[in-house]
Amino acid sequence: MLNVENIRKDFPILNLSVYGKPLVYLDNGATTQKPRVVVDAITNEYYNVNANVHRGVHFLSQKATELHEQARETIRAFIHAKSTSEIVFTRGTTESINLVASCFSESCMKEGDEVILSSMEHHSNIVPWQMVANRKGIRIKVIPINDQGELLVEDYKKLFTERTRIVSVTHVSNVLGTVNPVKEIIRIAHDHGVPVLIDGAQSAPHIPIDVEELDCDFFAFSGHKIYGPTGIGVLYGKESWLDRLPPYQGGGEMIQHVSFEKTTYNELPYKFEAGTPDYVGSHALAVAIDYLSALGMENIHEYERSLTDYAMKQLQQIEGMRIYGTAKDKDAVISFLLGDIHHLDMGTLLDRLGIAVRTGHHCAEPLMHRLGIEGTVRASLSFYNTREEIDSLASAIKRLKQMF
Ligand code: PMP
């Protein structure tokens, strides 16, 4: 499937030792490590190309513009969008969702209208909606989950009223690993004439994405979680929707003509890209995506699925283990607690053994309330992780259990 031994050589950081122990990096849900080609692309662009993009007549500006716009095309192809007009560069998933929440509510929502979210959303798919809800008197409705961490689709259907204007849900939960049936969720919403935003922060790095096949209206993801640099992300939007929405921020790039009497806005996608874009980041993100495409997203998905199954089996064998998120369709994220060991103690002690995991509420406090806990330990996997690393995690947990 994948030659993981060779792949690991592309990620220099994986050779680090921490506290004299080989690093076992299992915090990929928070951010992924970068292959050498991505870091080289950044260095190379700053050394050999750097110039501000668009409207530049000189050689370097044209070259930088070419790389930036080629990156848009690489991303378009990666998620199977129809046109590069539908690919908006943002700072990340958070900014992409804020953009939609702000622009959509401004133009398409009135007091008393409703948005549907789910109880497993990351704060970045809750708070932007709350902010506009408070401003405009919009109601937020929440899709409940079962104890396995799966969305209750029958309950979801019942949330629709004639005031429902948009649905915004995560594709994959960053806590439970649940892969939501987004195609069905979108079809149901469309039956009510309601558009859907998919938070793809935890799906785009792991699952082949086809926005046309999903038929989602908006799709958001972050560069840094998909082996690219920090500070760049993507908002996909159907052209018909992006056309209808007002601009998000004002400034250079997003205008056609400006006078003190009247300003006209630029065409898509530039209408949503005020100011100098992160053109080095966009190119490096495209290099990351080319790297993934060369490995094959199907291969990545298959390998990570089998690694997740293996990890689930290893961890479930440990006495006192409680795993949060046992959905039938589950991907690359395992949240757990052991006995009455506090998640922070577990995370800190695992770190001393060289194992990087995340602890806490994972920016999903409403989900923690639903689960009746304050936080979990979370191991989140990548295609560069190995069964040996999972074994290290399992034996470290067993060791810590004895200590307590
Ligand atoms: N949604 C989900 C499901 C996430 O896991 C994250 C990051 N943890 C975000 C949104 C926010 O992503 P970013 O911080 O890159 O904007």
Side-chain angles (χ1 to χ4, degrees), residues 87-101:
I87 306 298
V88 177
F89 285 119
T90 63
R91 284 194 301 118
T93 308
T94 302
E95 191 176 47
S96 298
I97 297 173
N98 273 276
L99 189 161
V100 177

Side-chain angles (χ1 to χ4, degrees), residues 252-389:
E253 295 276 346
M254 54 75 74
I255 51 85
Q256 215 158 35
H257 294 291
V258 179
S259 73
F260 281 109
E261 289 69 42
K262 184 176 164 57
T263 290
T264 51
Y265 302 126
N266 207 341
E267 61 190 21
L268 293 177
Y270 309 106
K271 181 172 93 175
F272 294 104
E273 295 181 348
T276 298
D278 183 2
Y279 53 84
V280 176
S282 61
H283 170 54
L285 171 57
V287 171
I289 284 176
D290 283 340
Y291 180 88
L292 297 180
S293 299
L295 295 178
M297 284 309 293
E298 288 289 354
N299 296 332
I300 287 172
H301 184 50
E302 207 178 313
Y303 176 80
E304 290 177 345
R305 270 302 164 100
S306 90
L307 193 64
T308 307
D309 290 346
Y310 180 76
M312 284 291 278
K313 283 199 192 92
Q314 299 309 306
L315 296 193
Q316 272 163 339
Q317 278 167 21
I318 301 170
E319 210 191 306
M321 175 61 70
R322 297 192 303 286
I323 292 181
Y324 295 89
T326 50
K328 273 184 228 89
D329 200 358
K330 180 178 167 81
D331 204 271
V333 180
I334 303 177
S335 270
F336 63 90
L337 289 171
L338 186 74
D340 53 10
I341 305 174
H342 194 274
H343 50 87
L344 191 58
D345 293 335
M346 174 69 83
T348 309
L349 292 167
L350 286 175
D351 176 54
R352 288 283 151 175
L353 299 171
I355 300 172
V357 292
R358 189 146 291 247
T359 63
H361 55 56
H362 315 295
C363 294
E365 282 193 71
L367 176 59
M368 294 299 131
H369 294 153
R370 162 63 180 85
L371 299 172
I373 53 179
E374 277 176 17
T376 70
V377 184
R378 182 187 74 181
S380 49
L381 316 181
S382 158
F383 55 80
Y384 47 56
N385 292 126
T386 62
R387 289 190 174 208
E388 291 71 37
E389 288 182 313

